[in-house]
Amino acid sequence: MENSQNRILIKHGKIVNVDSVVDGDVYIEGGVIKQVGSNLTVPGGTRIIDARGKYVIPGGIDPHTHLEFQFMDAVTVDDFYRGTKAAIAGGTTMIIDFAVPKKGQSLLEIYQKYRKLADGKVCCDYGLHVGVTWWSDKVREEMELLCKHHGINSFKTFMAYKDFFMVDDSELFEIFKRCKELGAVALVHAENGSIIAKKAQQLLAAGITGPEGHQLSRPEPIEAEAVGRACIIANQVNCPLYVVHIMSKPAADALAHARSIASATGGSPVFGETLAAALGSDGKQCLHRCWYHAAAHIVSPPLSPDVTAKSYLIRLLAEDKLQLVGSDNCTFSEDQKALGEDDFTKIPNGVNGVEDRMSVVWEKGVHSGVMDVRRFVAVTSTNAAKIFNVYPKKGCIAVGSDADIVVWDPVKTRVISAKTHHQAVEFNIFEGMECHGVPEYVIVNGRVCVDAGVLKAVQGFGKFVPTPVYSEYVYEKVKQAKVIMLQRS
C-alpha cells in the first residue's frame, strides 16, 4: 500500500460518537486511528480528505446478514464478495453473518465451512453467529469449543421453521442456560412455529397458495407471543437475550415490556433488533398484483401490513426501546423465489438491505427529525460493537480504534434502485426511495474503499474478527440484575 493511501488525515468534519459531536480532525496510519483533535501534526505525503460540512462517523456494523446461505432449496445470490462490497458502498464496514447447521449437523463443521466460504472473498471485516438447531451433549461441548477457541460469543435459536431449524421450549431453556454458562449472548428468531405450520396447512387447503398466504399464516400476535415467551425463558436462567428482526408493533411492545420489567426487577438484559426492511417497506407490498413483486417482499417475520409500523419502530429505536438495525440481507433471485409459485410455504424467505440499511435509517430517523446523529451511530454501529464485544476496536472514532470510518454527507441525496445497486439480486425492496444522506468516503481498515462516491472495494481485504465472550456491556447488566435480585431476596 502506498504511503498516501496508508496515511490519511480527515479534516474539518463533525466527529460523531454515541456521546458527542465535536469539530475536529482524524489522522489514520497503518489501518488504525492515531490522532483525533485539531491542529494535528502529520507526516508529509499524507492524503487529506476535506470533510467540511459532513459527519465523520464509525463505519456501520450490520449485525444480521445471510451471505451464501443455503435455505429452502436455494442459496442466497449475494455471496461474501458481492455482499460485503455492497455493504461498503452503503457505509457498512463490518458484517456479522450466520453459520446455521441443519438438525444433527456439527456446529464446528458449519463454522469451519463458513470461514472457508468467507475468508478469501470478504471486502470488509466480518464476524459469525452460530445457529443451534438441535440439542445434545455434543452441541453443548461444541458451543464451549466455539467460544474458547474460535471467536464466537453468540448463538442463534429459532422458534419458527418447524422441522427445519425450530427448537422447542425445553431445548431453548438448555441452550440459553449454556449461553449464560459460557458468557455468550443468545439470539432468537421469535415466532410461534407450531401455530404457523397449522395455519399454513389450513390456508393451502382453502386454496390460498400465493404470497399473501405467507402473511396470513403469520399474524402479528404470533410474533409478539414468541417474543414474550423467549424473554421469560431467558430470564429463568438469567441469560442475556437478543431478539432478532422485530417486525411489528405488538412484537416491539412485547420487547419494550420485557426490557422495562428486566430493569425494574433485576431480570436478565434483553436487546431488540429491527430491520431496514421494516423501516422502509411494508406488508402491503406482499399483496401486489405482480406475483414476483409480492414474493420479493416475503421475509419472516413478515413485513407488517400496518403501514404505521415503520414510523412506530423508528420512534422506539430513537427512545432505546429497540437497540439496533440489521439488514437480514438474505437475497434470492426471481427464479429462486419461483420455487414457491404454487405454494407460498416454498417461497425462499428473504429481502435485501445490506447496502441500503444506513441510508434508510438516516432518511427515516435523522432526516425526518425523529433521531439525532449520535443515536444513528448507536443503532447502526456502536450498540452492535458493544453487544458482540468488539468495542472500542470497532464502533467508535477514538485513538487506537480500527480505521473503519465513514465521511457522511447529510445533504446529498440518492435514489435507491436495483439498476444501480451493487448487489447480485435483481430486485430492491426500497426501489425508488429518495434518501438524504450518502457515504462520500468509506475507509475500511485504513483503506479508502469509497472515494468521493466511487466504490473501490478489494476482494479478500477483510478478515474474520473474533467476538470474545463476556461482553462487558452485556454481562455488566447481568451482574447488576443479580445484585438487584439479591437485594430483593
Side-chain angles (χ1 to χ4, degrees):
M1 229 190 282
E2 63 189 13
N3 274 354
S4 59
Q5 172 75 317
N6 196 14
R7 295 178 181 149
I8 303 163
L9 179 64
I10 304 168
K11 282 181 74 77
H12 309 308
K14 287 194 178 301
I15 301 165
V16 186
N17 282 306
V18 288
D19 55 355
S20 64
V21 181
V22 295
D23 292 322
D25 305 340
V26 181
Y27 174 64
I28 299 159
E29 189 177 325
V32 175
I33 297 172
K34 295 288 192 189
Q35 298 180 61
V36 180
S38 48
N39 304 317
L40 304 180
T41 306
V42 301
T46 295
R47 173 167 181 192
I48 293 174
I49 291 173
D50 188 348
R52 204 180 303 266
K54 302 183 180 73
Y55 292 109
V56 180
I57 62 174
I61 299 172
D62 189 337
H64 193 151
T65 64
H66 294 284
L67 306 178
E68 294 186 52
F69 182 39
Q70 190 171 354
F71 184 50
M72 296 178 76
D73 298 325
V75 177
T76 53
V77 290
D78 282 308
D79 69 359
F80 278 98
Y81 169 60
R82 287 293 288 270
T84 54
K85 182 180 173 182
I88 290 167
T92 290
T93 57
M94 180 178 173
I95 61 160
I96 312 182
D97 208 88
F98 289 82
V100 181
K102 295 181 171 66
K103 283 194 185 290
Q105 185 181 13
S106 155
L107 273 60
L108 275 171
E109 187 186 300
I110 194 75
Y111 163 83
Q112 280 150 356
K113 178 189 170 185
Y114 268 79
R115 289 294 309 272
K116 283 196 183 85
L117 284 173
D119 280 346
K121 291 182 189 168
V122 286
C123 303
C124 66
D125 288 353
Y126 79 103
L128 286 172
H129 311 287
V130 174
V132 184
T133 55
W134 60 297
W135 185 246
S136 70
D137 286 341
K138 183 186 180 189
V139 171
R140 186 187 164 79
E141 284 161 28
E142 288 193 335
M143 285 173 74
E144 183 170 9
L145 290 171
L146 285 163
C147 288
K148 286 193 170 167
H149 304 297
H150 298 284
I152 298 297
N153 77 354
S154 50
F155 295 94
K156 183 183 185 184
T157 55
F158 295 83
M159 298 168 82
Y161 304 121
K162 193 169 164 58
D163 302 327
F164 294 101
F165 296 147
M166 181 175 146
V167 290
D168 65 26
D169 289 359
S170 61
E171 290 169 318
L172 276 181
F173 184 94
E174 292 293 345
I175 296 162
F176 291 173
K177 184 163 155 263
R178 190 61 171 147
C179 285
K180 170 62 171 39
E181 288 165 2
L182 295 169
V185 180
L187 274 60
V188 67
H189 172 142
E191 286 182 291
N192 189 316
S194 300
I195 294 178
I196 289 165
K198 289 287 183 196
K199 288 186 77 71
Q201 281 172 358
Q202 285 175 347
L203 289 158
L204 290 169
I208 296 169
T209 60
E212 70 281 5
H214 179 77
Q215 203 175 71
L216 292 169
S217 69
R218 297 171 121 92
E220 293 184 346
I222 299 290
E223 184 190 3
E225 180 275 332
V227 169
R229 181 159 41 104
C231 292
I232 288 166
I233 295 168
N235 199 37
Q236 296 308 303
V237 291
N238 202 16
C239 173
L241 186 68
Y242 177 117
V243 184
V244 301
H245 51 42
I246 299 268
M247 300 296 277
S248 64
K249 285 182 182 177
D253 288 344
L255 186 110
H257 179 65
R259 275 176 64 80
S260 66
I261 286 178
S263 67
T265 62
S268 53
V270 181
F271 306 99
E273 165 202 285
T274 188
L275 302 185
L279 306 174
S281 190
D282 61 65
K284 293 273 190 284
Q285 304 303 320
C286 303
L287 306 175
H288 200 276
R289 282 180 313 210
C290 165
W291 187 93
Y292 176 57
H293 180 102
H297 287 80
I298 295 297
V299 62
S300 293
L303 292 165
S304 176
D306 177 353
V307 293
T308 66
K310 297 186 282 238
S311 53
Y312 193 76
L313 292 170
I314 262 291
R315 199 171 81 246
L316 294 195
L317 274 169
E319 295 168 356
D320 196 35
K321 288 174 180 160
L322 293 170
Q323 286 66 53
L324 310 89
V325 183
S327 67
D328 195 4
N329 192 90
C330 188
T331 47
F332 296 100
S333 69
E334 191 166 350
D335 289 347
Q336 289 172 322
K337 289 278 187 179
L339 291 167
E341 209 155 12
D342 304 316
D343 178 348
F344 66 84
T345 66
K346 294 189 167 69
I347 300 170
N349 290 196
V351 294
N352 64 285
V354 74
E355 184 166 351
D356 301 314
R357 179 182 71 106
M358 302 276 283
S359 288
V360 169
V361 179
W362 186 275
E363 180 66 22
K364 300 295 181 183
V366 185
H367 184 70
S368 72
V370 177
M371 181 186 290
D372 68 21
V373 65
R374 291 172 305 139
R375 185 66 188 163
F376 172 78
V377 163
V379 302
T380 59
S381 179
T382 310
N383 285 350
K386 287 180 173 178
I387 291 168
F388 299 109
N389 211 8
V390 294
Y391 181 89
K393 180 181 166 70
K394 308 280 187 192
C396 64
I397 308 281
V399 172
S401 297
D402 286 358
D404 286 353
I405 298 174
V406 178
V407 177
W408 189 269
D409 188 333
V411 178
K412 200 171 178 189
T413 62
R414 72 182 184 97
V415 176
I416 297 174
S417 176
K419 294 185 182 71
T420 50
H421 73 200
H422 298 87
Q423 301 196 231
V425 70
E426 65 273 80
F427 188 92
N428 192 310
I429 61 164
F430 310 114
E431 187 72 39
M433 184 193 293
E434 184 181 39
C435 289
H436 299 74
V438 174
E440 188 177 8
Y441 293 91
V442 180
I443 297 167
V444 179
N445 280 316
R447 179 189 276 267
V448 181
C449 289
V450 173
D451 196 339
V454 179
L455 182 61
K456 298 178 174 177
V458 180
Q459 183 166 347
F461 182 66
K463 59 191 180 304
F464 175 74
V465 175
T467 52
V469 290
Y470 288 108
S471 152
E472 190 184 344
Y473 181 73
V474 173
Y475 273 84
E476 190 53 44
K477 290 175 166 57
V478 174
K479 266 194 280 184
Q480 286 164 4
K482 199 172 176 185
V483 169
I484 294 170
M485 297 277 277
L486 289 168
Q487 286 168 346
R488 284 169 183 271
S489 59

